[in-house]
Each structure stands twice: as C-alpha cells, then as structure tokens.
Amino acid sequence: MKSTSNAFVDSFKYQWKAIILGLLIVVVFATLIVSAPMGFLLAWVPALVILGIVMVALIAHQPKYALFLTLLMSFAQSGLSRYVPIFTWGLTVDLLLLLCWLIGFFKYWKKFEVGRANKSLTWVWVAWYAYVFFELFNPQKEAATIAWFYAMRGVGLYSMLLTPLALILMRKPKDMDFWHTIVILNGFVGAAWGIKQIYIGVTGIEAIWLQGPAGSTHVLFGQLRAFSFFSDASQFGASMGHIGLLSSIFVLATNSKVKQIALVITALMCFWGMVLSGSRAPIAVPAIGGLVFLALSGRHQVFIIGLFIGSLAFGFLKYTSIAQSNYYIGRMRTALNPSEDPSYIARLEKEAKMKVYLASRPFGGGIGAAGFWGLRFTPHTVLANTATDGLYYRIWMEGGIVGLTLYLGILIYLLIHGSLITLQIQSPHLRIKSAAIMAGIGGLMVASIANELMVQMPTGIIVYGQLAFIWQMKRWDKEYLHEEKLKMRRKSLIYE
C-alpha cells in the first residue's frame, strides 16, 4: 500500500502534467486567434501540426488524457469556430474519442479492461444509438443521409463512445475531481467573458457574428444577450446555471478554505452569467437541481434552509415587480408566467399542428430532418421549416413517438437509478458530489424541454462523463469504508 506522501506525489504528478497540457493548448490556440485577423495563415499549419503531435504522444502515453481533452474541446470548439473558421472544430471531439479507442485497443489491449464497461449505463446508450442508426432506414424519413451523419453525433454517438471509455479509464475519484476542475475553470472563464461582453463590449469578430443571423436572437430590443465563447446565449445560460449549481454544492465537499472561496466566487459569477444570457429555460437548472440536491443530500438542515431560500427566490420573481426595469430580470420573470408569453402560446399552436402531421409517422422524419441540419440539407420539407423548440420536441419530430418514448424512458431510468446509488453512499464527500451531479442532471433534463441542452456541447460531454462516475460510486464508497476501517484499526492498536 502506498504511503500518504507517495500518494500525494502521484496526485501532484498527475495534475501538473494535465495543467501543462492545458496551458500548451491555450497558448497554441491563442497564437491562432491573434494571428487570424493579421492574416498569418502560415502560422496555423505548424501550430496545429505541433499541437497534434503533442496530443497524440500524450494520449499514447495515457489514453485517459483523450477524455480530458474531449471535455476541453467541447468548451472551446464553438469559440474556435467563431475566431478561427479554418476547420470544423466540433469534429475534434469525434477524432479524440476515436483515437482513444484505437490506442486503448492496439497499445494497451492487455490492460484495456473492457469488462469495466459492462454496465447498464453503457447498454442503455448502445440501445439508444441502435435506434438512431436504424432511423437511416426509416421509410418515412425526410432527412438526407448526410444530415443524419452530422446530427446523430450529438444525439447518440458521443454518449455511446464516451461512456464505456469513461468507465474503463477514469477509475478513481481523482479522475472525477480533475474532470470537474476542468468544468469549473471553463465555467469561471466563460462567465468572465460573458460579463465582459455586456459591460465592456464584444470583440470585432463577435460583432461580425452578431451582424449575421445570430443577431436576431442575441440582440433583443437593443439589449445584448451574453453568449461568451459558447455556441449561443441559451447554451451559455444553461452551462452557467449548471456549473454554478455544481460549484455552490461542491463547497460542502471540501475542507479547504481556499477552494471554498474559489468555488463561491465561481458560483456567483456563473449565476450572474446565466442572468446576462437573457435565457429563461436555464433558470430550471439551479431551481430544479437545487430541489433534487436537497432531496438526496441527506442533510435535513440544508434541506430546510435551501427550501426557504428557493421559496424566497421564487416569490421574488413570481409575485413581485422589484427590479422589473432590469431587462434580464424582467425576461427571467416571463419564464414563470408562460400564459403571458407570446412565444409560449405560439409553441402550443405549433405543437397541435405537429401532432396531426406526426400521427401517421410513429418513427418521425429521421434524425437530421429538423432544425439546422434540416434547413441546410432538406429546406423544402415540413420538419425543416418547423422550429424544434427543445430537445424532446426535436426527438419527437425526428424519432417519432417511438423514439421519444425510448429516449424519455432512458432519461427517467438514469435519473432514478443514479439517485438510488446516491442515497446508498456513506462517504460524506462522495455523497455530496454524487448528489451535486444528479442535481445538475435533473435540472438539465427539465431545462431541455425548451432547449436542446442534453445533446449540445459542452453539456452532453459533461453529463456523459458524470454518469460514468455515478455508476462507479458504490465501488469508490466501499474503498472509502475499507480505508476508514483500517484507520480505526490502526488507532486502536496505538492506544493498546
């Protein structure tokens, strides 16, 4: 058994390598961003080649780095696409996951314990991807095959590829901690950039982006909705609500005052970023997520205090007009009064029409038939010209009532099973982290009614990794209890 000092050294080595990797990527991408407006096209090629070589070498040395890089790129890909549009940056997620599988099998095939992935979590995502795949052969599909290729990645491929890899490679609680370190750091930077957009202004490239189609949804009544380096304001708001919730709960899982202060600051910045996004659906993430946490935490005092604070916040938005002149607060209030929201009424009318259209299409119009990919590849179809208005609405349109039933069944199973695992955890710190994860997922599931959050980056990648941690919590809890028994035994021997 390793001594405490050796364990500390191993942990330090593990973290500084990952930190250096992250700094290297930031430096290379910063070089690309700075050189882009100056026209130094030749700077891109060597920088990308060097970065690619370093990434492959690191992944070959330790395949789990591919998963951390995947998480990092899920945050960075939208901003890179905006600033350096020389490559479809979203494909880096596909390449990293594929590279991880290839290196794992061909270099570490003896140590690549595939049996670790033989869990219900893996198989439910495999079942969902099988349905997504067979949508290719849907006789009533409206989607083009090329649209299916693009759309199915976020809808089904990433969950199937990442989940078993996470179960096989990220085996220890320190992997979970480092995963969330990346998430929280990106949340802090993202919130800071979004706040900067509102109070200082956008960059030249962001201004050009706003002059295009994005301007119609990100500048409303002369007010800018913060989007930071995310794909849009809605995804930014949801990510801020999610990371703010995680940060505020993780405060309870550490005894370090420095970490607690850093987490509180991050949580406050993220929640403010959520407000500045001007999005209404993300409010469900901390609201519903907070209730889920209070139910799973096992701390009655925390439950009562949290319920009181949540009630005050709800009453402030629902039953008062305080600060109504503030555009962002006023917009959030409309989420609690949907009957007075014209967009909500229009959504109900559209849903009624879609029920008639899909009544004879139990398998929907095919993956990629609606939304952005539908407009790009089959703009003449009904589904392509009907706004998706949320994840479940999109699944219903593209996968039919059969696909929607299957998908909702999977999500409900994951939420219930994950919650039951959490309630069995005896380690106080693991219990809080597990409850925080399930709280975030519960909030995102509700918020996805209005936005396609669960299948967008970075949210989807974060959640798939988190679920893999939940499915390993029982083993980690047993290891914790075993260590506690050994400590008690040592103490009893000393006193004897």
Side-chain angles (χ1 to χ4, degrees):
M1 184 178 294
K2 291 184 179 180
S3 66
T4 304
S5 61
N6 287 338
F8 175 78
V9 171
D10 287 346
S11 176
F12 180 75
K13 288 179 178 178
Y14 175 78
Q15 292 191 33
W16 77 255
K17 287 180 180 177
I19 290 170
I20 289 177
L21 172 62
L23 288 174
L24 176 64
I25 293 171
V26 169
V27 169
V28 173
F29 285 151
T31 302
L32 294 177
I33 291 172
V34 171
S35 67
M38 299 171 65
F40 295 148
L41 299 177
L42 293 178
W44 294 341
V45 177
L48 288 174
V49 170
I50 293 171
L51 179 62
I53 293 172
V54 172
M55 287 172 60
V56 172
L58 284 169
I59 295 170
H61 172 69
Q62 182 57 270
K64 77 168 68 172
Y65 286 161
L67 299 181
F68 296 133
L69 283 168
T70 297
L71 177 61
L72 188 61
M73 286 306 302
S74 72
F75 278 96
Q77 51 91 28
S78 291
L80 287 171
S81 297
R82 199 172 289 136
Y83 274 89
V84 193
I86 61 168
F87 177 69
T88 305
W89 293 100
L91 289 175
T92 55
V93 171
D94 308 64
L95 295 174
L96 285 166
L97 291 175
L98 180 61
L99 185 62
C100 190
W101 273 108
L102 292 174
I103 290 176
F105 268 122
F106 291 106
K107 185 174 181 181
Y108 295 95
W109 63 275
K110 289 184 179 179
K111 299 179 182 179
F112 206 63
E113 301 177 53
V114 180
R116 288 180 177 272
N118 186 19
K119 298 183 183 294
S120 61
L121 178 64
T122 300
W123 293 113
V124 294
W125 288 131
V126 169
W128 172 243
Y129 183 75
Y131 183 85
V132 170
F133 176 77
F134 284 116
E135 275 290 327
L136 267 176
F137 310 102
N138 179 354
Q140 295 178 309
K141 72 172 184 177
E142 297 181 6
T145 301
I146 186 65
W148 174 90
F149 171 78
Y150 281 108
M152 67 85 185
R153 292 157 53 234
V155 173
L157 183 64
Y158 295 154
S159 57
M160 185 185 70
L161 289 180
L162 193 148
T163 297
L165 284 173
L167 291 169
I168 294 168
L169 299 173
M170 297 198 288
R171 308 173 184 176
K172 300 178 181 179
K174 70 177 184 180
D175 295 321
M176 174 179 66
D177 291 341
F178 190 69
W179 183 269
H180 286 110
T181 298
I182 296 174
V183 171
I184 291 169
L185 285 175
N186 275 279
F188 177 86
V189 175
W193 193 260
I195 292 170
K196 174 259 178 194
Q197 287 176 331
I198 298 298
Y199 295 108
I200 299 178
V202 297
T203 66
I205 291 177
E206 290 170 345
I208 293 172
W209 183 72
L210 289 171
Q211 290 172 8
S216 62
T217 55
H218 287 78
V219 182
L220 301 178
F221 307 107
Q223 293 285 341
L224 174 67
R225 298 172 60 196
F227 53 91
S228 189
F229 49 77
F230 292 76
S231 60
D232 54 53
S234 296
Q235 182 58 52
F236 170 61
S239 294
M240 292 300 98
H242 185 205
I243 299 172
L245 177 69
L246 291 174
S247 300
S248 59
I249 297 175
F250 283 166
V251 171
L252 303 174
T254 179
N255 296 321
S256 168
K257 294 297 182 183
V258 174
K259 288 183 179 179
Q260 288 177 340
I261 293 171
L263 287 167
V264 169
I265 292 172
T266 300
L268 292 174
M269 288 186 64
C270 286
F271 286 138
W272 187 235
M274 179 188 73
V275 173
L276 295 180
S277 73
S279 298
R280 294 164 290 189
I283 195 175
V285 181
I288 302 299
L291 292 175
V292 173
F293 171 73
L294 294 174
L296 296 178
S297 66
R299 299 187 174 193
H300 301 298
Q301 289 182 335
V302 173
F303 180 83
I304 294 171
I305 294 172
L307 197 61
F308 176 72
I309 294 174
S311 299
L312 287 179
F314 177 79
F316 167 75
L317 291 174
K318 178 72 175 177
Y319 299 110
T320 76
S321 58
I322 299 172
Q324 184 66 21
S325 59
N326 183 291
Y327 167 76
Y328 301 102
I329 294 177
R331 185 165 170 81
M332 288 181 68
R333 278 201 169 98
T334 62
L336 302 179
N337 298 284
S339 59
E340 301 173 10
D341 184 5
S343 63
Y344 176 74
I345 296 171
R347 179 179 297 185
L348 292 178
E349 293 173 353
K350 183 169 51 182
E351 183 179 332
K353 294 178 181 178
M354 195 52 55
K355 279 183 181 179
V356 176
Y357 184 77
L358 292 173
S360 60
R361 295 171 174 80
F363 300 104
I367 303 300
F372 175 80
W373 301 116
L375 283 173
R376 178 175 172 180
F377 294 107
T378 53
H380 57 282
T381 60
V382 172
L383 295 182
N385 288 280
T386 304
T388 52
D389 288 335
L391 174 60
Y392 310 125
Y393 199 78
R394 175 188 171 186
I395 297 294
W396 179 42
M397 292 167 68
E398 297 187 339
I401 189 63
V402 175
L404 180 61
T405 302
L406 175 61
Y407 191 72
L408 288 177
I410 289 173
L411 292 186
I412 292 170
Y413 166 74
L414 295 176
L415 185 62
I416 293 175
H417 192 73
S419 298
L420 291 175
I421 291 174
T422 300
L423 292 172
Q424 297 174 46
I425 303 300
Q426 297 183 49
S427 162
H429 286 182
L430 284 179
R431 175 73 173 266
I432 290 172
K433 291 175 182 177
S434 182
I437 290 172
M438 293 311 304
I441 292 173
L444 287 168
M445 286 181 181
V446 174
S448 290
I449 294 173
N451 298 110
E452 298 174 27
L453 305 177
M454 296 284 287
V455 297
Q456 290 181 332
M457 289 192 276
T459 301
I461 300 298
I462 296 172
V463 168
Y464 303 143
Q466 288 180 323
L467 286 169
F469 300 138
I470 292 292
W471 257 248
Q472 299 181 84
M473 282 288 182
K474 283 186 179 180
R475 175 168 57 82
W476 293 345
D477 193 45
K478 288 179 181 178
E479 292 171 357
Y480 164 81
L481 294 175
H482 178 69
E483 287 293 326
E484 288 297 304
K485 288 180 181 179
L486 290 177
K487 288 179 183 178
M488 294 296 293
R489 190 174 299 172
R490 292 192 199 102
K491 287 182 180 179
S492 62
L493 290 174
I494 291 173
Y495 287 122
E496 288 177 4

